Amino acid sequence: MNAQRAERPRKIQIGAVISQYSYIIVFIAIFALYALTSRGGLTWSGVMNIFRHSTIIGIIGIGMGLVCLTGEIDLSVGSMLAMVSGFSVMVFNTTNNAILTLLFSVAFGAALGLLNGVLVGAVKMPAFIVTLATMLIFRSFTQYLCQHIDKKLIGGGSSVYKIASELSSYQDLYRFGNGRIATVPTVGIILIIMTALFVFISTATKYGKKIYASGSNAKAAALAGINVELIKVSVFVITGIMVGIGSFLWIAMNGSSDPATTGSSYEMYAIAAVVLGGIAMTGGRGSILGVFFGALSYTVIDKIIVALKMDSLINDTIKGIILIVVILIQVAGPQIKERAQQMRLQRQFKSEQRKPQ
């Protein structure tokens, strides 16, 4: 009897650990499936390419994760990536300076994030409507400007923002975006650094605790003295900054930005990375570290689809189904757990009723 009682807490502890780090188990399972479907094509270089291709989504996903932790959402990140990267190309073509371009990308991204944040946090407009509107505005204006601006600013391109290859700093920027340090992509190392930074901020600072409190119960957080409106504004600004960093890396990796396709569906990919990473869309629960593994998982799913030689047109269909299934598990899991607890309590109550008085 005592052994059973000792075993039960141990099972509960193991279950809690599995639940807390489920995103790692999900990633391992998806990666194992990729290893099987690649048919011997799995190499270290291939693994590092997964890492590289996850960078932009991972960095944007970190910002999206913070927004979702407050119970909000940002649908504009894909269009924001197109706008900031396009304008950053113009800055680089004008200044021939990568540092100034990075500073512009971060500052411009922060400004666009501030616009979203003020409308959602301060004005209290629904985040879904605000970011849906700015999603349309950002991409539309970026496309319009590309057609009506001096072609020298966009590298002589007709429909894309293209870095002028004759600039002296172009090769340095391109090498940075596509370089490797000890076989690890430079951009991947930046993703690791950003993940570590925001894991620390979200778990070990008062600001991080305020984010979780604001998403868990906004009214209780306000009564505790937390400025919930300011917290919501700040996470949208941080998301803008992360998009700015992603935009700089994008042009460093690709040398151009297409206003029509750059960042297309990235809002869905970032949300998918957040959901696969275990962050609850209702806010207040989840880990930024999970976003890192969520972004890797989503990229690996892409590789599996390619390895299975599926039609590329069905790609987003499969990803969308996976996203719905994961959210369904998120929603149904607590409900099943609560139902099981209620049934257990009912059984205990009935057994106590049957006991002789």
Side-chain angles (χ1 to χ4, degrees):
M1 189 70 174
N2 290 333
Q4 287 179 348
R5 287 177 180 173
E7 187 68 22
R8 194 175 299 163
R10 212 171 331 189
K11 286 181 179 178
I12 292 171
Q13 288 175 355
I14 293 170
V17 170
I18 292 173
S19 177
Q20 186 176 359
Y21 297 103
S22 59
Y23 49 82
I24 297 177
I25 298 170
V26 169
F27 170 70
I28 292 172
I30 292 173
F31 189 81
L33 180 60
Y34 171 60
L36 290 172
T37 56
S38 63
R39 299 172 185 173
L42 187 62
T43 62
W44 177 253
S45 178
V47 172
M48 289 300 100
N49 276 333
I50 290 172
F51 200 22
R52 179 179 182 271
H53 294 152
S54 302
T55 297
I56 306 297
I57 291 298
I59 288 175
I60 296 174
I62 290 171
M64 182 71 79
L66 294 175
V67 170
C68 291
L69 281 173
T70 64
E72 304 294 351
I73 196 168
D74 190 342
L75 300 177
S76 69
V77 292
S79 297
M80 194 185 297
L81 178 71
M83 189 174 198
V84 177
S85 60
F87 281 38
S88 296
V89 166
M90 292 194 294
V91 171
F92 186 83
N93 286 343
T94 303
T95 64
N96 191 27
N97 189 305
I99 301 298
L100 287 177
T101 304
L102 173 61
L103 293 175
F104 170 81
S105 297
V106 171
F108 190 41
L112 297 180
L114 179 63
L115 172 63
N116 285 335
V118 169
L119 292 175
V120 174
V123 183
K124 300 188 188 312
M125 293 175 65
F128 183 89
I129 301 301
V130 168
T131 58
L132 180 63
T134 53
M135 175 182 75
L136 299 173
I137 293 167
F138 295 159
R139 190 173 296 279
S140 174
F141 184 74
T142 307
Q143 289 179 290
Y144 173 83
L145 191 67
C146 189
Q147 299 294 327
H148 295 83
I149 200 167
D150 187 346
K151 298 305 176 186
K152 290 182 180 179
L153 289 175
I154 57 173
S158 58
S159 60
V160 299
Y161 296 86
K162 185 179 178 182
I163 293 178
S165 57
E166 65 272 12
L167 293 172
S168 59
S169 298
Y170 171 75
Q171 289 300 327
D172 292 334
L173 180 67
Y174 192 77
R175 276 194 294 269
F176 168 76
N178 295 276
R180 293 173 183 256
I181 299 174
T183 75
V184 180
T186 307
V187 292
I189 293 172
I190 293 172
L191 173 60
I192 292 174
I193 292 170
M194 299 307 296
T195 301
L197 173 63
F198 281 95
V199 166
F200 173 78
I201 290 172
S202 63
T203 59
T205 66
K206 289 182 178 179
Y207 175 70
K209 291 178 174 64
K210 288 178 181 179
I211 290 175
Y212 279 95
S214 299
S216 181
N217 191 323
K219 289 183 180 179
L223 289 172
I226 297 173
N227 189 333
V228 176
E229 290 79 12
L230 183 60
I231 292 295
K232 289 188 176 184
V233 171
S234 68
V235 293
F236 277 98
V237 172
I238 291 173
T239 301
I241 290 171
M242 300 303 279
V243 172
I245 294 171
S247 298
F248 178 77
L249 295 179
W250 178 278
I251 64 171
M253 292 164 68
N254 299 291
S256 64
S257 174
D258 186 338
T261 61
T262 295
S264 178
S265 297
Y266 270 44
E267 56 281 341
M268 189 193 82
Y269 301 155
I271 292 169
V274 168
V275 172
L276 285 171
I279 291 180
M281 297 302 290
T282 51
R285 288 187 295 112
S287 168
I288 293 299
L289 180 60
V291 177
F292 174 79
F293 285 97
L296 290 176
S297 297
Y298 217 59
T299 302
V300 174
I301 290 168
D302 237 345
K303 301 292 183 182
I304 292 171
I305 293 170
V306 172
L308 292 175
K309 297 180 180 179
M310 293 183 181
D311 192 323
S312 60
L313 296 176
I314 206 75
N315 195 314
D316 281 347
T317 300
I318 296 169
K319 290 179 178 179
I321 291 170
I322 292 170
L323 186 57
I324 289 173
V325 170
V326 173
I327 294 177
L328 181 63
I329 293 169
Q330 264 195 12
V331 172
Q335 291 177 353
I336 293 170
K337 187 177 179 181
E338 184 180 349
R339 180 60 181 163
Q341 189 174 4
Q342 287 175 353
M343 290 175 67
R344 188 166 58 249
L345 290 172
Q346 286 173 1
R347 284 195 299 268
Q348 289 177 358
F349 178 75
K350 288 178 181 178
S351 64
E352 288 175 4
Q353 290 292 325
R354 292 194 192 103
K355 287 180 181 178
Q357 297 296 327

